Amino acid sequence: MSGSQIIDLLFTADRNYVNYIAIVLKSLQINDFEVQYRVHLIHDDLNTEQQLKFQYDCISRGYEAFTYQVNDAVLLSAPVNKHYAPAMYYRLLAGEILPDSVKKVIYLDPDLLIINPLHPLWEINMDQAVFLAASHTEENEIIDNFNRLRLNTSSSYFNTGVMVIDLEKMRQVVQKKDIYDFIDKNAMKLLLPDQDVFNALYGYLSNPIPDTVWNYDVRKYKQYFVRSGGITDDRWIMQNTAILHFCGKNKPWQSGYHSRFGNIYLHYMNLAGVLG
């Protein structure tokens, strides 16, 4: 990879999640320290202090920082629940919100860690795809078939917590009206709202990437281990997995979290200076 190339990262967050981006960035700084990153944040409710704190977290690690506030009343009223806020939809409109000068981004959820270099994800050939994403369901045929039937899709169900997005292609195919119309017609059957919208409308424009490397769901250690024939043990993960994703409602910054890799998260949380 060229030492002068800059990789654009995208986060979306509300005031409840924005502080945890600092932990992602600290883990990135430690484990991909030779690469230049530029960080973009789309939000709707951050106050000036929170925005300045985010910018400081980026700049202190050598990254440029940019914030974009969404004031779209229709999108702000899209289906949510207590675990999923309106900010989750903003990645779907990244092509419209980010400036045209940004051609491609790696989107990351705030609830993950980078434990090996991230930049090889940027270098994967996208061919004609608009998105690169991992599936957490393809190993479970019943769940995969259920999602295909529910959303009338043909591809595996992609997790949108980690994606590479070709913004130039995205600007040509993703229309705000399509998203709004789909939400309006299907609101009652959306289980993971933004992820369902993505899979229903744009799953066919996505190429798969291996979740054990790029979007490792920490809840599924046993499934990964068994499926791999015992290969993906802790040593393999530490050597090969780039992203640990703490999916689900239980988060490692919460007291009482005892699931696998929680201590690793707390280590980076301490290094980032984020209080629990």
Side-chain angles (χ1 to χ4, degrees):
M1 179 175 180
S2 171
S4 61
Q5 185 177 10
I6 298 176
I7 295 177
D8 286 290
L9 298 183
L10 172 64
F11 294 91
T12 65
D14 61 14
R15 64 182 58 191
N16 296 314
Y17 272 80
V18 67
N19 288 340
Y20 304 110
I21 295 175
I23 303 169
V24 182
L25 295 177
K26 185 63 178 180
S27 68
L28 177 68
Q29 178 190 26
I30 291 172
N31 294 302
D32 211 1
F33 56 89
E34 294 183 343
V35 179
Q36 289 183 283
Y37 286 94
R38 183 164 47 205
V39 187
H40 306 266
L41 171 64
I42 303 174
H43 70 95
D44 58 56
D45 67 349
L46 302 186
N47 59 37
T48 301
E49 181 180 351
Q50 289 171 315
Q51 293 184 59
L52 290 174
K53 173 67 166 55
F54 164 78
Q55 292 172 341
Y56 173 80
D57 287 336
C58 294
I59 293 170
S60 66
R61 292 170 175 80
Y63 307 141
E64 291 183 87
F66 303 90
T67 60
Y68 313 85
Q69 184 163 8
V70 173
N71 296 304
D72 190 314
V74 177
L75 196 58
L76 290 173
S77 64
V80 297
N81 60 40
K82 66 180 181 179
H83 302 301
Y84 302 95
M88 65 188 173
Y89 289 99
Y90 302 156
R91 75 199 87 177
L92 300 177
L93 296 176
E96 178 178 317
I97 297 170
L98 298 182
D100 290 346
S101 58
V102 184
K103 311 294 187 184
K104 177 181 172 183
V105 295
I106 296 176
Y107 170 82
L108 299 174
D109 272 355
D111 59 346
L112 51 78
L113 287 178
I114 312 298
I115 62 170
N116 276 303
L118 178 66
H119 71 265
L121 177 59
W122 183 265
E123 298 168 356
I124 295 175
N125 185 351
M126 298 184 71
D127 295 321
Q128 299 304 308
V130 182
F131 307 93
L132 299 179
S135 172
H136 288 158
T137 62
E138 60 185 0
E139 78 280 4
N140 190 321
E141 186 176 355
I142 295 175
I143 294 178
D144 228 21
N145 287 338
F146 168 73
N147 283 322
R148 286 177 178 143
L149 180 64
R150 181 172 63 89
L151 300 172
N152 192 28
T153 59
S154 57
S155 63
S156 289
Y157 187 85
F158 292 106
N159 180 279
T160 56
V162 177
M163 295 191 293
V164 182
I165 306 174
D166 184 326
L167 290 173
E168 291 185 294
K169 293 191 182 80
M170 185 187 203
R171 292 180 179 116
Q172 297 173 19
V173 299
V174 175
Q175 302 296 323
K176 184 187 293 186
K177 184 178 185 303
D178 294 338
I179 295 171
Y180 291 167
D181 287 348
F182 184 86
I183 292 173
D184 184 57
K185 294 175 182 177
N186 298 279
M188 297 304 295
K189 60 180 176 182
L190 299 181
L191 302 180
L192 300 174
D194 73 311
Q195 203 158 267
D196 283 352
V197 173
F198 173 83
N199 279 276
L201 295 179
Y202 311 116
Y204 75 100
L205 298 172
S206 307
N207 281 350
I209 51 177
D211 55 339
T212 51
V213 177
W214 299 117
N215 194 344
Y216 187 103
D217 185 340
V218 300
R219 301 170 300 178
K220 298 186 175 185
Y221 177 87
K222 291 182 180 178
Q223 292 96 312
Y224 288 133
F225 185 79
V226 171
R227 190 177 66 183
S228 70
I231 293 175
T232 57
D233 58 9
D234 287 26
R235 181 182 296 272
W236 186 95
I237 294 166
M238 291 301 108
Q239 293 175 342
N240 296 279
T241 296
I243 299 174
L244 294 176
H245 193 177
F246 295 84
C247 302
K249 63 182 181 179
N250 297 316
K251 300 302 183 186
W253 56 78
Q254 298 170 335
S255 61
Y257 181 89
H258 299 299
S259 297
R260 209 172 195 95
F261 305 112
N263 286 339
I264 296 175
Y265 189 91
L266 292 178
H267 172 66
Y268 284 101
M269 188 172 175
N270 181 59
L271 291 177
V274 176
L275 300 177

